[in-house]
Every structure is written in C-alpha cells, then in structure tokens.
Amino acid sequence: MTNRRSALVLAVEIFILLVIVVFLAGSARTKVTISNRICLGTACSITVYGNASKAKSAIGKAWDAVTELENHISVNLPYSEVSLANAMAGSGQWLEISEQTYELVDFAIRMSDKTSGAMNPALGSLIAMWGIGTDDARVPSQEELETALASAKVGNILLQRRDGRCFIQITEAATVLNLGAVGKGWAADVAAKVLSSCGIENALLDFGGNIYALGKFPTTFGARDFSIGLQDPDQYRGMNFSVVSVHNLSVVTSGSYERFFEGPDGHRYSHIIDPSTGWSIENDIQSVSIIGPSSAVCDAMSTSFFILGPEGAASVLQDGFDGYFAVFLLGNGADRRVVQVGSDGILE
Ligand code: ADP
Ligand code: MG
C-alpha cells in the first residue's frame, strides 16, 4: 500500500516536473523583440518571436529596407524619386528610377486598372488640395476639383525599361503621382521578406494598420495563428467588432473614422477621394478590412473597396483574387451590419 502510494506520489512529481520543463522550454522559445518607428507618415512596429540577437539584426535590416523605400516614394520628401518625377511632369523627359519604385508604380497602375480606377495613383493633386491629415486641410471648390480631376489620369504615368534600367515620365504638368494608397502595404511585404531572408519565422508587422502576420504566434503549448482584431469604430481603440485568425497573411483596414477632416460646417470629410467626382467619399461604409497574402494588394483594395462597396468588391475579387477576403462594416446604430466578400462573391 505504502509502496503503491509512493509510486503514485513519484508519478505526480514527474508529471509536475515535465510540465515545468515544457513551460520553461516554451518561454525560452517565445522570446519577444519589439521595435517601433514613425515612418511612412504613421506609427509602425515590428514584433519578432525567437532568438533576440537574431531578431535585432533582422529588424535593423527590415527598417533599412523600409527607409530606402520611403526615401524613394514619399511625396513629402522633395528629392524622392516620386517627387522628382512630379517636378519633371510635362517636360517630356524620362527620369531614371530604382527597380523598386518602377515595380511599385507598375503595381499601382495594374491595381488601378483592376479596380476600374477606384484606386488611382494619379490623384496626387486632389490629395494635396484636400490636405486631409495635414494642418492645411480644407474643402476645395467644385471648380478646383474639376480642374484637378481633368489631369488625374493614370494613363499620364509612363514607365519604360531600357537596357535593364528603369525610367518614368509623367506626360502632363498638372498630373501628380501619389502612392499613399499602396505604400504601407508594399512596405509591409518588403519588411516581411527581409525578416524571412534573415531566418525569422514568426513575426507581426503593423504599419499604421497594415498588418502582416509572418508565420505563427508561438506559445508554450505550440504555435497558433495570430488573432487580429478589427476595430469597432464606435468603441475605444482596441475594442473590436470581430477577430480574424491568420498566419502568413496580411490584414489591412481603411476606416472613415481613422483620418478625416471636420469642415467649418461640422461635416466630416474622409481621407479617401472618389476619383469620379474628386469629392471625399460619402457612403455608409464605416470600415473595410482586407485579408490576403500580399499586403500591397490588400492595401490597394482597402482604399478602392471603400469607393466600390461590397458589389464592386465582389467583381474585383472574382477577377483572379482567390485567397482574398473583404469584411465591410456598414451603417450605423440599429442599421449596422457586417458584409463579407470573397472571390466567390458576397458571403452571407
Ligand atoms: P490609410 O493611409 O489611412 O491607411 P488608405 O490605405 O485607404 O488609408 O489610403 C488612403 C490614402 O491614399 C489617402 O490618405 C490618400 O493619400 C490616398 N488616396 C485617397 N483616395 C485615393 C484613391 N481613390 N486612389 C488612390 N489614392 C487615394
Ligand atoms: Mg490602402
């Protein structure tokens, strides 16, 4: 009897010891390194799970790549490639640009095409005119909008490859290239690729609401998908109306509650511009989140789906975007509803 009891006690002790060993092994594995920066005009963060010194060096390389991208594409830096291309618009001259800027502009033009122009990289003069998100935000006159709209043509942005070198030309002086609707997503993809190439398997990137979940979230009892909350616009920050579980996927949200300008009349103007009118978009969309493999694609869609709505989003997604989903939050109060759209159409 005593022997059997001591065997039982021993078994319990071994079990407790095993649990402690598994827990300690788990906590060693789940070392977390977090790095925050203000870049691309917003707060960005990279969180890496795993060996800290490997994480630090990989994060450093990822930020270098993001900084290089920003130096090329920002319209706020006077000597970025995009600013120089805008300054040379209408001169008839080609400007040599980096491979990366070429690829991003080419991508933006293709996404503009895929979204029937709802995402328009030639909208720069209208974006500057509204100035939403800056101290100079204002409501332009109908005349100003119409004049700017006449030159906001994506066809005025030409790209050329010659002998392995890349060139851009903007054919009309008043056309302004602005990559604000795709830059953060593209940057998140670039940073995730850098981390992967440095051997990082698990990380979470948040570039101003453009999330990329690389690999999985390690826990003591194994890896699990990252849980990404979709912000409830009617609640405090961090309170969600839904949560999505993802790995090796991006989640990008555009919200009319995020960046807007309150006009002298108290009216709220969203930072997304309807390219068919030049006016800040007015509809019942509170937010749209896109989930899919490429953060750049998700970013382009988040902006354009705000204009296209669920039906328009369905026809874009059906046109070769398997693996992408959109979650719309529509309406207010009792009318509030969530509509999900995939490449099979609107999901009920
Ligand atoms: P955020 O930058 O807040 O994440 P988005 O990804 O939706 O939001 O991008 C919106 C930005 O893109 C605006 O701040 C503006 O610079 C630019 N933009 C607004 N409307 C359009 C549009 N229809 N097409 C292309 N760019 C746009
Ligand atoms: Mg976008």
Side-chain angles (χ1 to χ4, degrees):
M1 182 70 180
T2 331
N3 265 356
R4 221 193 286 163
R5 260 198 70 178
S6 55
L8 190 70
V9 169
L10 192 68
V12 169
E13 281 173 355
I14 289 173
F15 176 74
I16 292 171
L17 205 65
L18 269 173
V19 169
I20 291 172
V21 167
V22 167
F23 181 78
L24 289 178
S27 16
R29 204 157 37 89
T30 54
K31 181 100 191 139
V32 183
T33 309
I34 305 173
S35 176
N36 297 299
R37 285 236 177 145
I38 297 290
C39 51
L40 305 158
T42 186
C44 298
S45 79
I46 300 179
T47 305
V48 169
Y49 302 88
N51 180 289
S53 65
K54 191 166 150 187
K56 260 187 137 174
S57 118
I59 290 172
K61 288 183 181 140
W63 286 137
D64 287 348
V66 172
T67 305
E68 188 187 333
L69 174 71
E70 183 170 14
N71 288 341
H72 284 328
I73 67 159
S74 172
V75 286
N76 300 320
L77 302 174
Y79 298 107
S80 73
E81 292 176 340
V82 168
S83 294
L84 292 176
N86 284 331
M88 283 168 61
S91 69
Q93 310 258 328
W94 289 94
L95 170 74
E96 182 161 9
I97 52 173
S98 60
E99 172 84 31
Q100 176 160 221
T101 303
Y102 179 97
E103 279 179 16
L104 176 49
V105 175
D106 186 49
F107 167 77
I109 294 172
R110 274 186 284 123
M111 286 308 292
S112 183
D113 201 39
K114 289 267 188 193
T115 60
S116 314
M119 198 290 292
N120 180 356
L123 224 51
S125 58
L126 281 149
I127 293 166
M129 200 176 267
W130 279 94
I132 298 175
T134 72
D135 294 339
D136 305 320
R138 68 184 179 96
V139 184
S141 70
Q142 179 65 29
E143 206 181 328
E144 283 177 290
L145 293 179
E146 280 169 19
T147 309
L149 210 52
S151 317
K153 295 188 201 110
V154 73
N156 290 349
I157 302 165
L158 306 183
L159 290 170
Q160 198 178 79
R161 258 186 214 277
R162 256 183 283 140
D163 309 323
R165 293 160 67 193
C166 301
F167 298 88
I168 191 168
Q169 185 187 154
I170 300 174
T171 55
E172 206 181 316
T175 304
V176 180
L177 171 63
N178 184 310
L179 298 166
V182 287
K184 278 179 281 165
W186 186 275
D189 285 338
V190 165
K193 268 185 214 125
V194 171
L195 294 176
S196 282
S197 70
C198 294
I200 302 299
E201 289 175 356
N202 304 302
L204 190 67
L205 296 87
D206 182 349
F207 289 6
N210 280 245
I211 312 272
Y212 188 84
L214 175 67
K216 292 199 168 191
F217 177 62
T219 73
T220 306
F221 301 106
R224 61 169 175 78
D225 284 359
F226 286 98
S227 298
I228 310 295
L230 308 183
Q231 174 68 39
D232 184 333
D234 300 328
Q235 299 285 346
Y236 294 113
R237 185 165 283 275
M239 293 182 76
N240 310 314
F241 71 90
S242 182
V243 175
V244 290
S245 295
V246 289
H247 68 269
N248 293 332
L249 285 176
S250 180
V251 182
V252 175
T253 301
S254 283
S256 50
Y257 60 91
E258 276 291 343
R259 246 200 288 168
F260 58 82
F261 159 62
E262 204 163 291
D265 51 355
H267 188 80
R268 282 187 174 190
Y269 295 92
S270 146
H271 69 310
I272 295 178
I273 292 164
D274 183 343
S276 62
T277 64
W279 282 93
S280 151
I281 191 79
E282 300 268 346
N283 56 29
D284 73 339
I285 302 173
Q286 289 225 51
S287 75
V288 54
S289 302
I290 319 293
I291 300 124
S294 152
S295 198
V297 170
C298 291
D299 199 2
M301 285 180 177
S302 76
T303 310
S304 52
F305 288 4
F306 221 98
I307 291 149
L308 297 171
E311 279 83 19
S315 46
V316 173
L317 290 171
Q318 278 160 356
D319 184 21
F321 289 105
D322 288 354
Y324 287 86
F325 296 89
V327 181
F328 283 86
L329 181 63
L330 306 171
N332 274 301
D335 258 2
R336 205 171 95 151
R337 62 212 182 275
V338 175
V339 174
Q340 295 184 57
V341 188
S343 54
D344 293 333
I346 295 179
L347 317 165
E348 289 309 332

